[in-house]
């Protein structure tokens, strides 16, 4: 996850999705690849073509905030993409490497999700590792795992790894590609903010090597914070469920999040979730 490489990749993918006619650029000559040429984007952003080329090739890593803002406007980036571009353009702080600590969930957070008996809930670390889940969250997402797996360093579940490498978990999603792209986009945001996270880099490397689908999606450089939306499940015990999800970020800089699911009142999904809930008391 070298800063210059990620920045260049991101700029190229976003430059490639712009059509000259969409931004008022007169097209000339045959284009070998889709999108704007470097010099065209540089002109739109108000920087020299030479400087932009150096930036995209990773030969310049000290772009000013004003230049990055100009590029974001020229590339027509959304809010998530704009923030990600600033993260990538900001050099990683020089830090002394420390041994990675085994992340744990705060007792109060565990108590909170356990009290949410009617709501499937999962506490995740910033790398999508599962720090804790309540019984309903466990039964919804990973009943084939041991319930206490999040407490063990040797086989702690990771939702991103499960999504791409665990066939049982993969089959849970009716719209798997949509879910997978959402996971990759979220990981891209985290990777941009935490360039010196060795465990995150190792996870991305593992998924890139073991899953061609992950590698293909990662190369597209999708970016999204993914804090709410709809997920479509085909659960092996209770059938189809359409659930809304919300992600709440916990206070502090740990990156811990609580993922929660709910069903529309009175519908088939609520009934299926209620049926799954009966297993909690067994």
């Amino acid at each position: 996850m070298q800063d210059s490489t990620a920045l260049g990749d991101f700029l190229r993918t976003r430059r490639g999705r712009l059509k000259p006619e969409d931004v008022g650029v007169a097209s000339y000559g045959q284009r070998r690849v889709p999108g704007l040429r470097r010099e065209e984007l540089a002109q739109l952003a108000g920087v020299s073509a030479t400087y932009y080329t150096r930036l995209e090739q990773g030969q310049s890593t000290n772009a000013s905030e004003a230049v990055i803002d100009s590029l974001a406007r020229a590339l027509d980036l959304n809010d998530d993409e704009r923030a990600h571009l600033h993260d990538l353009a900001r050099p990683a702080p020089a830090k002394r490497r420390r041994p990675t600590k085994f992340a744990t969930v705060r007792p109060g957070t565990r108590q909170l999700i356990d009290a949410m008996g009617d709501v499937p809930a999962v506490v995740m670390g910033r790398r999508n590792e599962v720090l804790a889940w309540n019984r309903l969250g466990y039964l919804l997402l990973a009943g084939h795992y041991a319930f206490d797996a999040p407490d063990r360093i040797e086989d702690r579940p990771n939702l991103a790894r499960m999504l791409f490498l665990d066939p049982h978990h993969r089959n849970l999603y009716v719209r798997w590609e949509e879910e997978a792209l959402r996971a990759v986009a979220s990981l891209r945001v985290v990777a941009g903010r935490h360039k010196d996270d060795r465990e995150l880099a190792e996870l991305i490397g593992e998924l890139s090597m073991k899953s061609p689908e992950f590698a293909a999606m990662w190369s597209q450089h999708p970016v999204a914070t993914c804090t709410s939306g709809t997920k479509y499940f085909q659960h092996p015990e209770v059938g189809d469920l359409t659930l809304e999800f919300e992600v709440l970020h916990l206070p502090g800089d740990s990156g811990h999040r609580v993922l929660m699911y709910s069903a529309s009142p009175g519908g088939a999904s609520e009934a299926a979730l209620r049926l799954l809930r009966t297993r909690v008391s067994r």
Side-chain angles (χ1 to χ4, degrees):
M1 292 189 299
Q2 295 180 5
D3 300 357
S4 58
T5 301
L7 175 59
D9 288 345
F10 182 66
L11 289 171
R12 277 188 291 274
T13 61
R14 295 316 186 263
R15 178 167 60 86
R17 74 182 184 184
L18 290 177
K19 297 179 180 179
E21 57 270 24
D22 293 339
V23 292
V25 172
S27 182
Y28 59 91
Q30 185 174 4
R31 293 176 183 265
R32 292 177 297 176
V33 294
L36 295 181
R37 296 184 174 98
R38 287 172 178 163
E39 60 270 22
E40 292 169 339
L41 178 59
Q43 183 177 8
L44 286 173
V47 300
S48 74
T50 300
Y51 178 76
Y52 176 77
T53 299
R54 288 176 56 83
L55 193 65
E56 193 174 283
Q57 292 179 345
Q59 299 172 10
S60 179
T61 57
N62 59 347
S64 68
E65 295 284 316
V67 167
I68 296 304
D69 283 336
S70 295
L71 288 171
R73 285 193 295 272
L75 290 166
D76 194 25
L77 302 184
N78 62 32
D79 290 342
D80 285 342
E81 292 171 328
R82 182 182 294 266
H84 184 62
L85 178 60
H86 277 278
D87 286 336
L88 293 180
R90 188 180 300 118
K95 291 184 180 180
R96 184 178 179 181
R97 290 202 178 275
R98 300 178 180 177
T100 303
K101 294 182 179 180
F102 183 66
T104 57
V105 64
R106 290 199 301 261
T109 305
R110 186 185 294 273
Q111 180 176 301
L112 175 65
I113 65 169
D114 286 343
M116 298 163 58
D118 294 339
V119 176
V122 180
V123 183
M124 302 181 295
R126 71 185 183 200
R127 308 173 194 94
N128 284 357
E129 69 272 30
V130 178
L131 305 181
W133 41 30
N134 63 11
R135 284 284 174 180
L136 195 53
Y138 160 70
L139 291 173
L140 174 65
L141 297 179
H144 58 294
Y145 279 70
F147 179 72
D148 63 350
D151 300 325
R152 299 197 297 269
I153 191 170
E154 65 274 9
D155 60 353
R156 168 174 274 179
N158 180 290
L159 293 183
R161 183 182 288 113
M162 292 162 62
L163 187 61
F164 285 94
L165 303 182
D166 180 348
H168 295 286
H169 189 72
R170 175 176 179 140
N171 290 339
L172 190 62
Y173 296 95
V174 175
R175 302 183 182 182
W176 180 86
E177 288 190 2
E178 177 181 303
E179 184 67 20
L181 189 60
R182 183 156 44 199
V184 173
S186 179
L187 273 180
R188 270 292 187 186
V189 173
V190 178
R193 292 174 182 170
H194 302 279
K195 307 179 187 73
D196 60 343
D197 189 325
R198 179 174 294 179
E199 285 195 11
L200 178 59
E202 290 173 352
L203 172 66
I204 293 168
E206 176 192 358
L207 293 176
S208 297
M209 290 292 292
K210 295 181 179 179
S211 171
E213 291 157 313
F214 178 88
M217 292 180 184
W218 187 257
S219 69
Q220 297 169 13
H221 217 124
V223 175
T225 52
C226 306
T227 56
S228 63
T230 306
K231 299 193 181 189
Y232 303 87
F233 297 94
Q234 187 173 46
H235 197 275
E237 294 189 39
V238 298
D240 292 343
L241 302 97
T242 300
L243 302 178
E244 303 301 315
F245 75 91
E246 296 285 339
V247 177
L248 301 182
H249 290 258
L250 298 178
D253 60 356
S254 65
H256 294 182
R257 298 159 289 161
V258 181
L259 169 62
M260 298 170 292
Y261 298 91
S262 64
S264 298
S269 294
E270 185 186 43
L273 201 57
R274 188 164 53 246
L275 179 60
L276 185 62
R277 195 179 301 135
T278 62
R279 286 202 52 202
V280 174
S281 58
R282 292 181 187 178

